[in-house]
Amino acid sequence: MKKNLLMWDESLFRDPEVFEIDYVPDQFEFRETQMRELAFQIRPGLRGSRPLNTICKGLPGTGKTTSIKKLFAEIEDNTIKLVPVYINCQIDNTKFAIFSQIYKKLSGHLPPASGTSFKQVLEAIANILLKEEIVLLVALDDANYLLYEDEINRVLYTLLRTHETYEGTRIGVIVIISDMDVDLSRAVDARVASVFRPTELYFPPYGNAEVREIIQERVIQGFFSGVISDELLDIVVEQTQKAGDIRIGIDLLKRAALSAERAARRHIDREDITGAYEASRFLHLAFTVKTLKGEERQILRSFAEISQKESEMNAGDLYKCINEKEEISYTRFYEIVKKMDAVRLINLHYREGKGRTRVITLRYEPAKILEYLG
Ligand SMILES: Nc1ncnc2c1ncn2[C@@H]1O[C@H](COP(=O)(O)OP(=O)(O)OP(=O)(O)O)[C@@H](O)[C@H]1O
Ligand SMILES: [Mg+2]
């Protein structure tokens, strides 16, 4: 009895923070080129000029968000004249929500919840910028979420043309996109394109050796020594590469250590890793499903149910099926489909045949999707 009680207190974690999803690592290697280029783009902002606009593009887990957060922290340590605002477009995905966040960053509080027009918020932002001689730098992270319903154009248009209404305001934009199929220069309309003129910055996937070093660094910082053997670490690296996202490897380590702790072991076993991989593999699915709204969840549920019978669906038939259960316009339906494609829950492609058919396939097993929808 005494032994078991003691075990409860024993931890394999030296620093559990290191494995959290929003942890910004001190050690951040292999992205020097991108960080240097970003700094170059931002630098005019430190001298009171408009920063150059940038698109950061790369697959999930290639360090885009971390690079921006590190640079923004550095800007904040060094100046108050260039104010960086980080927007997570998964959460704030309308023009109003985004400008409310900008206002909050500048004034310390959100605009009143009701009765405030967009124009008032924008005007308040412009007034602060002009009065305090501040240059604004806005990062739109996971901007895929702004692609459907064309919100991206509304947001960029306002950000990049504010100086036409409020003379003297200076705003630079960094747009971050993790879907390699998205060509943002084609998604923006001409009125935006003429003022946007971004430099595109690519974040390539990490190679095997790089993944190993990153994972190893977390292990050293986060676990007590001897918690994981070199041999098992190789398996984690291999699984991480297979999943194509460092995040999955980091999550895998955390879950494997928790599983070992539960079994009151002082080190991770192979079975801890196999068990953990099942859960970590669905990290993106779990996370994305949580960001969906009522109607979107409903449609994803129907997709999953239908594709338990057929692996490939055509958009027209699917619409008919869904509309029978729940009335929805085709336009709205198709907007939701495009969103799910943008956030990597489904694949949407065209097939030439009798006319162009839109074909939808799920990126996860239907049963798993239903499980995460609850
Ligand atoms: N070079 C690196 N060194 C250490 N940790 C890293 C490195 N690159 C990425 N990571 C870690 O991997 C995880 C994912 O990184 P990050 O969030 O920056 O990726 P991302 O490119 O923004 O991905 P997504 O497109 O999915 O948002 C984070 O936990 C981050 O700490
Ligand atoms: Mg990111």
Side-chain angles (χ1 to χ4, degrees), residues 40-276:
F40 172 82
Q41 296 285 102
I42 291 169
R43 202 161 296 133
L46 300 171
R47 298 190 293 256
S49 312
R50 188 171 288 112
L52 300 172
N53 300 319
T54 316
I55 297 178
C56 297
K57 208 166 167 177
L59 289 169
T62 48
K64 301 180 296 298
T65 300
T66 311
S67 299
I68 298 293
K69 290 210 163 151
K70 283 199 160 285
L71 269 171
F72 277 19
E74 201 180 314
I75 295 173
E76 287 185 329
D77 283 347
N78 285 293
T79 177
I80 49 167
K81 288 299 177 190
L82 174 66
V83 175
V85 184
Y86 173 83
I87 306 282
N88 178 349
C89 299
Q90 299 196 27
I91 298 166
D92 295 304
N93 50 27
T94 64
K95 189 172 86 167
F96 193 87
I98 289 170
F99 281 81
S100 296
Q101 289 301 332
I102 296 173
Y103 175 77
K104 183 178 172 199
K105 179 75 189 220
L106 292 170
S107 74
H109 51 87
L110 280 169
S114 67
T116 318
S117 70
F118 178 74
K119 193 162 171 288
Q120 287 169 315
V121 177
L122 184 60
E123 192 166 282
I125 291 172
N127 284 338
I128 300 174
L129 295 183
L130 292 172
K131 189 163 149 264
E132 297 179 20
E133 295 179 335
I134 287 172
V135 176
L136 192 66
L137 175 64
V138 180
L140 301 170
D141 199 359
D142 287 313
N144 321 15
Y145 282 79
L146 302 179
L147 286 177
Y148 72 113
E149 288 175 21
D150 212 25
E151 206 63 17
I152 187 92
N153 276 312
R154 280 192 282 272
V155 172
L156 287 179
Y157 185 84
T158 315
L159 283 172
L160 298 171
R161 289 191 176 258
T162 299
H163 64 97
E164 294 176 355
T165 322
Y166 303 98
E167 207 177 314
T169 52
R170 300 201 158 147
I171 304 179
V173 181
I174 301 173
V175 178
I176 303 155
I177 297 234
S178 56
D179 193 325
M180 297 308 288
D181 300 334
V182 170
D183 182 358
L184 198 66
S185 40
R186 278 177 51 196
V188 299
D189 63 32
R191 301 168 314 154
V192 170
S194 64
V195 279
F196 188 27
R197 313 174 72 78
T199 303
E200 203 165 298
L201 196 54
Y202 179 56
F203 287 67
Y206 296 117
N208 251 327
E210 292 173 333
V211 169
R212 191 168 216 291
E213 231 181 285
I214 293 170
I215 297 272
Q216 178 108 48
E217 186 58 37
R218 294 291 164 112
V219 165
I220 293 171
Q221 276 190 44
F223 291 152
F224 288 109
S225 57
V227 165
I228 185 164
S229 69
D230 282 351
E231 190 200 343
L232 290 183
L233 198 62
D234 283 339
I235 298 179
V236 174
V237 172
E238 196 183 301
Q239 304 273 44
T240 308
Q241 279 301 61
K242 207 165 79 191
D245 188 339
I246 292 259
R247 236 180 244 117
I248 291 181
I250 295 169
D251 189 64
L252 187 55
L253 288 172
K254 171 179 164 178
R255 285 176 200 271
L258 287 173
S259 149
E261 274 184 1
R262 178 194 272 175
R265 264 185 276 108
R266 285 166 185 277
H267 55 84
I268 293 171
D269 273 353
R270 185 179 284 262
E271 72 207 39
D272 298 318
I273 292 179
T274 355

Side-chain angles (χ1 to χ4, degrees), residues 90 145 282-301 303-304 339-340 343-346 362-374:
Q90 299 196 27
Y145 282 79
F282 296 107
L283 207 59
H284 167 255
L285 173 63
F287 196 65
T288 317
V289 160
K290 271 200 216 122
T291 67
L292 298 180
K293 303 188 186 81
E295 202 176 32
E296 298 162 352
R297 294 177 75 92
Q298 220 31 56
I299 289 190
L300 182 63
R301 185 181 301 282
F303 283 179
K339 174 176 179 179
M340 300 219 191
V343 304
R344 308 193 308 269
L345 285 172
I346 66 167
L362 292 175
R363 293 205 189 193
Y364 294 94
E365 297 116 77
K368 273 289 159 196
I369 293 185
L370 291 171
E371 184 187 320
Y372 281 94
L373 277 167

Side-chain angles (χ1 to χ4, degrees), residues 28-36 62-63 67 203-206:
F28 187 58
E29 309 280 349
F30 317 121
R31 290 286 96 128
E32 290 86 2
T33 319
Q34 287 76 7
M35 296 278 282
R36 211 175 313 120
T62 48
S67 299
F203 287 67
Y206 296 117

